[in-house]
Amino acid sequence: MKKIIDQENLNQKKVLLRLDLNVPLKNGSITDETRINKIIPVINFLIQKKSKILVISHVGRPKGKFNKDLSLKPICENIEKKIDKKIILIKEDIFNLKKEDLFENPSDQIIFLENIRFYEGEEKNDIYFAKHLAELADLYVNDAFSCSHRAHASICKVTNFIPSYAGLQLETEINALKKITTEIKKPITCIIGGSKISTKIGIIKNLIPNFNNIVIVGGMANNILSYKGYSVGKSLKEQNCDSIVRDIFETAKKYSCSIFFPKDVLVGKSVEDKSEVKELNEITNDDLILDIGPKTILEIKNIIDKSQTVLWNGPAGYFENPNFANGSIEIAKTIIKKNKANLIYSVAGGGDTVAILNQIKAVKDFNFVSTAGGAFLEYLEGKKLPGIKALN
Ligand code: ADP
Ligand code: MG
């Protein structure tokens, strides 16, 4: 893997820089800036080298169509303030752009293209789209570790057409994860939650051989509860997952890994509701499971107490409403307490997981915090990430 930091001649070179600026937005304002803060170093590095920087990123899931609510504008404005430099955001269709037209004014140094997922070719890893992107610059840098599990045009295919390098943050993340996978102390526990059930549920089975305990919480747990025969009402749930869940339990038996799921829950009638504690057999058709209950929290605390290493991805509840943030906060507090006493090695990953840790100012109390969610889990599975493979 060639690294941009080792590159000598970057003066006036046009650098296509893939970042992950997929920050949480609420009514057009940024609610967590961690991902932005992590990429400031690579931008400053390229500024110092006098490169011409052409940034591409996605935010949200526009699914190949223009969506005015998912513009990179608020993100550009935020970065502009942080680096104290002007950023030009080009809204024009990427296919109408030519390399010669970019950075026409000698003082232009940073240009952003609009949300790369406005284009169908991005998620399809489309060869023509990738080639066109590559033709806009002299070299390419991937500093989006958290997107590198995606075989998308701006992550993978683009590297076929242009000299490609690893960015600063990408390297830091890989080094930290390498350390975890090689110097691990057992018992090791993985806590997995959140809402991206379809992307994460398949991963659990592959994690089993490497873990002593897997704790499933958040929206992820609803599929387990439903498999176990409980009604989950209107709760978030992925269809047709029963065979995957059955596989999880069978594989766990084979490897003596304990699978843990909620024993009680907090429900509401809507996500804005106040919370009510319920036993699993009390959930009604109009209930939404939005957090784990007190008994479950106690059991998870016990598991963490017996662990030497904990990895955590995915909130235990709908933490955007403070009434359903308690499960995640209690998990964080338990880990932090052990971490401060040097009794555990702790790693957390995922955009939303990091957002909670920021809310309670706990990021520094973990050994490592990655802004990657899916990529973090797939790396732990032992998979070769497509974006990393493309750089090699
Ligand atoms: P990460 O970004 O940390 O990888 P995800 O993106 O998978 O995590 O999931 C985060 C989202 O999951 C948050 O918006 C949170 O509100 C939501 N969530 C967690 N538990 C539930 C639940 N029981 N029902 C609905 N949403 C949930
Ligand atoms: Mg997320």
Side-chain angles (χ1 to χ4, degrees), residues 4 7 9-19 42-43 45-47 49-56 99 102-103 109-113 133-134 136-143 162-167:
I4 196 65
Q7 241 7 65
N9 183 16
L10 294 172
N11 195 346
Q12 301 305 308
K13 288 275 161 56
K14 291 179 184 169
V15 178
L16 183 69
L17 177 62
R18 176 56 157 106
L19 299 176
V42 75
I43 293 193
F45 170 80
L46 292 170
I47 291 175
K49 295 283 178 183
K50 301 196 168 59
S51 304
K52 300 287 182 185
I53 310 165
L54 182 62
V55 173
I56 44 177
K99 189 175 176 183
L102 300 169
F103 307 102
Q109 198 177 4
I110 310 174
I111 296 177
F112 273 60
L113 301 181
L133 282 176
L136 297 174
D138 302 309
L139 51 96
Y140 164 82
V141 175
N142 177 350
D143 215 4
I162 184 169
S164 301
Y165 301 85

Side-chain angles (χ1 to χ4, degrees), residues 12 179 181 197 262 323 327:
Q12 301 305 308
K179 191 168 158 355
T181 40
I197 307 177
N323 297 333

Side-chain angles (χ1 to χ4, degrees), residues 256-382:
S256 308
C257 166
S258 308
I259 303 285
F260 180 87
F261 56 93
K263 300 289 139 51
D264 57 350
V265 291
L266 300 189
V267 301
K269 302 294 177 206
S270 75
V271 293
E272 281 92 36
D273 208 356
K274 52 189 188 337
S275 68
E276 183 187 349
V277 184
K278 281 203 173 176
E279 299 293 325
L280 297 180
N281 54 17
E282 294 173 343
I283 299 161
T284 53
N285 285 341
D286 58 344
D287 277 336
L288 280 168
I289 301 173
L290 293 169
D291 199 4
I292 51 177
K295 272 200 265 182
T296 306
I297 291 176
L298 258 183
E299 287 193 24
I300 296 177
K301 280 186 172 173
N302 270 326
I303 296 172
I304 296 172
D305 272 333
K306 291 192 197 115
S307 304
Q308 297 241 27
T309 307
V310 175
L311 306 183
W312 178 20
N313 166 260
Y318 185 83
F319 71 97
E320 290 90 338
N321 176 348
N323 297 333
F324 299 104
N326 190 49
S328 304
I329 292 174
E330 287 300 316
I331 289 174
K333 279 190 183 160
T334 313
I335 296 174
I336 292 165
K337 199 168 143 210
K338 272 201 85 172
N339 211 64
K340 283 189 172 158
N342 260 329
L343 295 170
I344 203 164
Y345 189 82
S346 56
V347 179
D352 292 287
T353 311
V354 173
I356 306 175
L357 296 182
N358 272 326
Q359 271 177 24
I360 58 168
K361 299 196 168 43
V363 167
K364 61 176 191 329
D365 298 319
F366 277 69
N367 292 87
F368 184 68
V369 170
S370 167
T371 50
F376 168 88
L377 290 173
E378 287 190 26
Y379 189 94
L380 293 176
E381 267 185 287

